[in-house]
PDB file of all heavy atoms in Angstrom:
ATOM      1  N   GLY A 120      68.946  69.641  72.378  1.00  0.00           N
ATOM      2  CA  GLY A 120      70.198  69.460  73.013  1.00  0.00           C
ATOM      3  C   GLY A 120      70.484  70.624  73.881  1.00  0.00           C
ATOM      4  O   GLY A 120      70.094  71.810  73.602  1.00  0.00           O
ATOM      5  N   SER A 121      71.076  70.420  75.105  1.00  0.00           N
ATOM      6  CA  SER A 121      71.367  71.494  76.015  1.00  0.00           C
ATOM      7  C   SER A 121      72.768  71.561  76.305  1.00  0.00           C
ATOM      8  O   SER A 121      73.320  70.614  77.032  1.00  0.00           O
ATOM      9  CB  SER A 121      70.501  71.343  77.182  1.00  0.00           C
ATOM     10  OG  SER A 121      70.832  72.289  78.271  1.00  0.00           O
ATOM     11  N   ILE A 122      73.457  72.580  75.942  1.00  0.00           N
ATOM     12  CA  ILE A 122      74.854  72.797  76.282  1.00  0.00           C
ATOM     13  C   ILE A 122      75.065  73.015  77.804  1.00  0.00           C
ATOM     14  O   ILE A 122      75.885  72.495  78.373  1.00  0.00           O
ATOM     15  CB  ILE A 122      75.418  73.982  75.543  1.00  0.00           C
ATOM     16  CG1 ILE A 122      75.470  73.725  73.947  1.00  0.00           C
ATOM     17  CG2 ILE A 122      76.881  74.373  76.050  1.00  0.00           C
ATOM     18  CD1 ILE A 122      75.763  74.897  73.118  1.00  0.00           C
ATOM     19  N   THR A 123      74.038  73.645  78.430  1.00  0.00           N
ATOM     20  CA  THR A 123      74.043  73.880  79.822  1.00  0.00           C
ATOM     21  C   THR A 123      74.017  72.555  80.646  1.00  0.00           C
ATOM     22  O   THR A 123      74.747  72.375  81.509  1.00  0.00           O
ATOM     23  CB  THR A 123      72.880  74.801  80.190  1.00  0.00           C
ATOM     24  OG1 THR A 123      73.023  75.979  79.480  1.00  0.00           O
ATOM     25  CG2 THR A 123      72.815  75.132  81.689  1.00  0.00           C
ATOM     26  N   ASN A 124      73.113  71.669  80.203  1.00  0.00           N
ATOM     27  CA  ASN A 124      72.961  70.486  80.933  1.00  0.00           C
ATOM     28  C   ASN A 124      74.255  69.638  80.776  1.00  0.00           C
ATOM     29  O   ASN A 124      74.810  69.005  81.821  1.00  0.00           O
ATOM     30  CB  ASN A 124      71.816  69.613  80.464  1.00  0.00           C
ATOM     31  CG  ASN A 124      70.477  70.182  80.829  1.00  0.00           C
ATOM     32  OD1 ASN A 124      70.394  71.099  81.617  1.00  0.00           O
ATOM     33  ND2 ASN A 124      69.429  69.681  80.219  1.00  0.00           N
ATOM     34  N   ARG A 125      74.879  69.609  79.604  1.00  0.00           N
ATOM     35  CA  ARG A 125      76.113  68.922  79.322  1.00  0.00           C
ATOM     36  C   ARG A 125      77.202  69.448  80.157  1.00  0.00           C
ATOM     37  O   ARG A 125      78.075  68.754  80.713  1.00  0.00           O
ATOM     38  CB  ARG A 125      76.403  68.851  77.881  1.00  0.00           C
ATOM     39  CG  ARG A 125      77.512  68.062  77.442  1.00  0.00           C
ATOM     40  CD  ARG A 125      77.209  66.727  77.105  1.00  0.00           C
ATOM     41  NE  ARG A 125      78.408  66.056  76.509  1.00  0.00           N
ATOM     42  CZ  ARG A 125      79.050  65.087  77.141  1.00  0.00           C
ATOM     43  NH1 ARG A 125      78.708  64.591  78.299  1.00  0.00           N
ATOM     44  NH2 ARG A 125      80.153  64.543  76.576  1.00  0.00           N
ATOM     45  N   LEU A 126      77.315  70.804  80.209  1.00  0.00           N
ATOM     46  CA  LEU A 126      78.391  71.419  80.991  1.00  0.00           C
ATOM     47  C   LEU A 126      78.239  71.133  82.501  1.00  0.00           C
ATOM     48  O   LEU A 126      79.236  70.959  83.128  1.00  0.00           O
ATOM     49  CB  LEU A 126      78.285  72.992  80.826  1.00  0.00           C
ATOM     50  CG  LEU A 126      79.351  73.760  81.343  1.00  0.00           C
ATOM     51  CD1 LEU A 126      80.794  73.333  80.900  1.00  0.00           C
ATOM     52  CD2 LEU A 126      79.130  75.255  81.082  1.00  0.00           C
ATOM     53  N   VAL A 127      77.074  71.103  83.011  1.00  0.00           N
ATOM     54  CA  VAL A 127      76.913  70.725  84.418  1.00  0.00           C
ATOM     55  C   VAL A 127      77.375  69.349  84.614  1.00  0.00           C
ATOM     56  O   VAL A 127      78.058  69.088  85.693  1.00  0.00           O
ATOM     57  CB  VAL A 127      75.435  70.801  84.867  1.00  0.00           C
ATOM     58  CG1 VAL A 127      75.091  70.193  86.199  1.00  0.00           C
ATOM     59  CG2 VAL A 127      74.990  72.307  84.849  1.00  0.00           C
ATOM     60  N   GLU A 128      77.266  68.400  83.687  1.00  0.00           N
ATOM     61  CA  GLU A 128      77.693  67.059  83.870  1.00  0.00           C
ATOM     62  C   GLU A 128      79.301  66.947  83.841  1.00  0.00           C
ATOM     63  O   GLU A 128      79.933  66.305  84.570  1.00  0.00           O
ATOM     64  CB  GLU A 128      77.295  66.210  82.672  1.00  0.00           C
ATOM     65  CG  GLU A 128      75.869  65.865  82.706  1.00  0.00           C
ATOM     66  CD  GLU A 128      75.417  65.009  81.546  1.00  0.00           C
ATOM     67  OE1 GLU A 128      76.281  64.398  80.840  1.00  0.00           O
ATOM     68  OE2 GLU A 128      74.303  65.126  81.125  1.00  0.00           O
ATOM     69  N   LEU A 129      79.925  67.795  82.945  1.00  0.00           N
ATOM     70  CA  LEU A 129      81.346  67.708  82.666  1.00  0.00           C
ATOM     71  C   LEU A 129      82.261  68.622  83.563  1.00  0.00           C
ATOM     72  O   LEU A 129      83.357  68.215  83.776  1.00  0.00           O
ATOM     73  CB  LEU A 129      81.672  68.029  81.214  1.00  0.00           C
ATOM     74  CG  LEU A 129      81.036  67.161  80.129  1.00  0.00           C
ATOM     75  CD1 LEU A 129      81.321  67.715  78.800  1.00  0.00           C
ATOM     76  CD2 LEU A 129      81.676  65.778  80.225  1.00  0.00           C
ATOM     77  N   ALA A 130      81.708  69.633  84.064  1.00  0.00           N
ATOM     78  CA  ALA A 130      82.494  70.587  84.807  1.00  0.00           C
ATOM     79  C   ALA A 130      82.925  70.043  86.241  1.00  0.00           C
ATOM     80  O   ALA A 130      82.148  69.429  86.885  1.00  0.00           O
ATOM     81  CB  ALA A 130      81.727  71.962  85.035  1.00  0.00           C
ATOM     82  N   ASP A 131      84.129  70.534  86.593  1.00  0.00           N
ATOM     83  CA  ASP A 131      84.669  70.089  87.941  1.00  0.00           C
ATOM     84  C   ASP A 131      84.368  71.187  89.018  1.00  0.00           C
ATOM     85  O   ASP A 131      84.694  71.031  90.178  1.00  0.00           O
ATOM     86  CB  ASP A 131      86.146  69.803  87.816  1.00  0.00           C
ATOM     87  CG  ASP A 131      86.527  68.713  86.936  1.00  0.00           C
ATOM     88  OD1 ASP A 131      85.595  67.760  86.814  1.00  0.00           O
ATOM     89  OD2 ASP A 131      87.536  68.662  86.385  1.00  0.00           O
TER      90      ASP A 131
END
Side-chain angles (χ1 to χ4, degrees):
S121 174
I122 294 169
T123 303
N124 291 351
R125 182 91 171 111
L126 184 57
V127 169
E128 288 176 26
L129 296 174
D131 297 332

